[in-house]
Amino acid sequence: GRLRTSLAAFSAVSAVTTVLPRDTNTRAMRRRRFLGAAGIALGSGCVSLPPNAEGHSTDRGSGWPMYQSGSANSGHPRDETGPVSGITRRWAFETGDAVGSSPAVVDGTVYVGSGDNSVYAVAAADGRERWAFETGAAVLSSTAVIDGTVYVGSNDGTVYAVDATDGDAEWSFSTGAAVQSSPTVVDGTVYVGGTDSYAYAIDAESGARQWAYETDGPVYASPAVVDGTVYLRTDNIGLYAIDAATGESRWTHGTLSGGVSSPAVVDGTYYVGSDNRRLYAMDAASGEPQWTFETGNAVFSSPAVVDGTVYVGSDDGSIYAIDAESGDREWVFRTDDSVFSSPAVVDGTVYIGGLDGSVYAIDAADGDAEWSFATNSPVFSSPAVVGGVVYVGDSDGNLYALAEA
């Protein structure tokens, strides 16, 4: 299939970018195949509270507990700050292979997966390893850290629950194929997709299956879970809204192109990118389209939605800000290569990585650059921003902490 599960092609991405022309269909398809090979996820306390005005889920611990900061996938945590000037590398932690997983940061520890088959816990203060947990294959899923447990998928076809303090296994759940979707944890349940074309609800404490929902294709994206509904997309054409408690369908939409962009659900609207160059806004209650926005190439990045604006990266090398109500473009920021990373929007700044080997900070209001940091290796990983520090991985296997000097 177009989306292979081997990590071997990941290291070829940077080489391919030097020989493929920009903005061609061939380039988009080649990029997409490498994205699938890398499995980039495009890329959580268990007490339920009502979402705030921006549609955040409520099941989030301190810091940045899961992919895109919370179960709505909004990319916007409450009450966090990020670095805006004088950026420096505070530390870099080296894993054994590419880091496409996006970090979670909880209670002074950074948790991230690596292509070397392991999940790492790293001290946020100094980058020292606290523990490593080995799985049977590459870990491309991003971690979710809730109530002292790390939940993560692996290409070995397993979802793992690991003690956040010491890295000991708590339980494992086997699926029919690689798990590259990032778990979303809400009200004691782990929601995750599999490349076996199923979405799963798993008891967070015991690892027992609560339900399984068959979809029309592999699920690479991370589910959004808001107001008792699981919002999901597949790599075929399917968009789904599923009852979180029962696993029964609320609606499906099968007219879009495929993709790996994860949905964000904010203020009653479902936002998602597609490999047909478009970002879609749909009514979360019914699935009815509201607007579409066209970029110059496929949208693998997952949108972030903050204060009435949608931010998303594109394979055309740009980051866009789009009016959440009308779908009109507010600004565009150009990079030197494709953008698969998903934006984190913190305190008026957009943080995002690019395949040009840079991490960018962009003013959320006007699209002006605040700073950039060169990793010298493609950045698929989506940043987590906690306590004035940006945590992000790169294709050379490094996890970085970037902060003001």
Side-chain angles (χ1 to χ4, degrees):
R2 290 177 303 164
L3 292 179
R4 303 186 301 274
T5 57
S6 168
L7 186 68
F10 193 106
S11 61
V13 174
S14 57
V16 170
T17 64
T18 64
V19 298
L20 290 179
R22 294 185 61 83
D23 299 328
T24 67
N25 290 334
T26 299
R27 176 177 177 273
M29 289 303 295
R30 293 286 296 278
R31 287 287 199 184
R32 178 164 174 72
R33 289 198 295 270
F34 284 117
L35 173 67
I40 305 309
L42 291 163
S44 301
C46 287
V47 177
S48 181
L49 304 170
N52 69 11
E54 292 177 354
H56 292 288
S57 163
T58 56
D59 270 15
R60 46 175 287 124
S62 60
W64 192 284
M66 66 181 81
Y67 178 69
Q68 287 301 88
S69 87
S71 68
N73 289 345
S74 71
H76 176 56
R78 303 179 214 135
D79 304 322
E80 286 295 350
T81 60
V84 295
S85 63
I87 194 71
T88 187
R89 189 185 79 179
R90 179 170 289 181
W91 51 257
F93 175 83
E94 186 176 353
T95 76
D97 210 324
V99 176
S101 171
S102 300
V105 187
V106 175
D107 295 334
T109 301
V110 186
Y111 302 89
V112 72
S114 171
D116 67 3
N117 303 356
S118 296
V119 179
Y120 293 92
V122 180
D126 58 15
R128 293 185 181 181
E129 182 180 315
R130 289 185 165 159
W131 52 256
F133 177 84
E134 187 173 354
T135 77
V139 179
L140 307 170
S141 167
S142 300
T143 53
V145 185
I146 301 297
D147 286 349
T149 299
V150 181
Y151 303 94
V152 68
S154 170
N155 271 11
D156 65 7
T158 306
V159 179
Y160 292 94
V162 181
D163 187 282
T165 302
D166 57 21
D168 288 343
E170 295 182 354
W171 53 256
S172 61
F173 176 90
S174 295
T175 73
V179 180
Q180 300 182 3
S181 171
S182 301
T184 302
V185 185
V186 177
D187 288 343
T189 299
V190 181
Y191 301 94
V192 69
T195 60
D196 59 352
S197 302
Y198 279 88
Y200 295 95
I202 308 165
D203 185 272
E205 184 174 354
S206 68
R209 190 180 82 177
Q210 296 180 346
W211 51 256
Y213 182 96
E214 187 174 8
T215 72
D216 68 345
V219 181
Y220 295 92
S222 180
V225 184
V226 176
D227 293 338
T229 301
V230 181
Y231 297 93
L232 195 69
R233 73 93 43 80
T234 70
D235 184 48
N236 199 345
I237 58 174
L239 303 180
Y240 298 87
I242 305 165
D243 186 285
T246 66
E248 296 178 355
S249 175
R250 290 188 168 168
W251 56 258
T252 63
H253 199 301
T255 62
L256 306 186
S257 181
V260 295
S261 171
S262 296
V265 179
V266 177
D267 289 340
T269 301
Y270 175 118
Y271 303 92
V272 69
S274 181
D275 62 6
N276 66 357
R277 303 172 177 243
R278 290 172 174 83
L279 178 76
Y280 292 90
M282 309 175 71
D283 184 270
S286 66
E288 290 300 312
Q290 295 180 344
W291 52 255
T292 62
F293 177 86
E294 187 169 357
T295 76
N297 219 320
V299 179
F300 299 122
S301 172
S302 302
V305 187
V306 183
D307 295 334
T309 299
V310 185
Y311 303 90
V312 72
S314 171
D315 193 44
D316 68 7
S318 301
I319 297 113
Y320 293 91
I322 304 151
D323 185 278
E325 184 174 353
S326 67
D328 294 334
R329 191 180 83 179
E330 296 180 357
W331 52 253
V332 59
F333 179 92
R334 308 290 185 187
T335 75
D336 291 330
D337 209 328
S338 298
V339 179
F340 289 0
S341 174
S342 302
V345 186
V346 176
D347 199 23
T349 297
V350 180
Y351 300 92
I352 195 166
L355 296 199
D356 58 2
S358 293
V359 179
Y360 294 94
I362 306 163
D363 188 288
D366 57 22
D368 288 344
E370 293 181 349
W371 54 259
S372 64
F373 174 85
T375 70
N376 299 315
S377 177
V379 178
F380 291 89
S381 175
S382 301
V385 185
V386 175
V389 182
V390 176
Y391 302 93
V392 67
D394 75 357
S395 300
D396 277 345
N398 298 302
L399 172 68
Y400 291 98
L402 308 176
E404 293 182 1

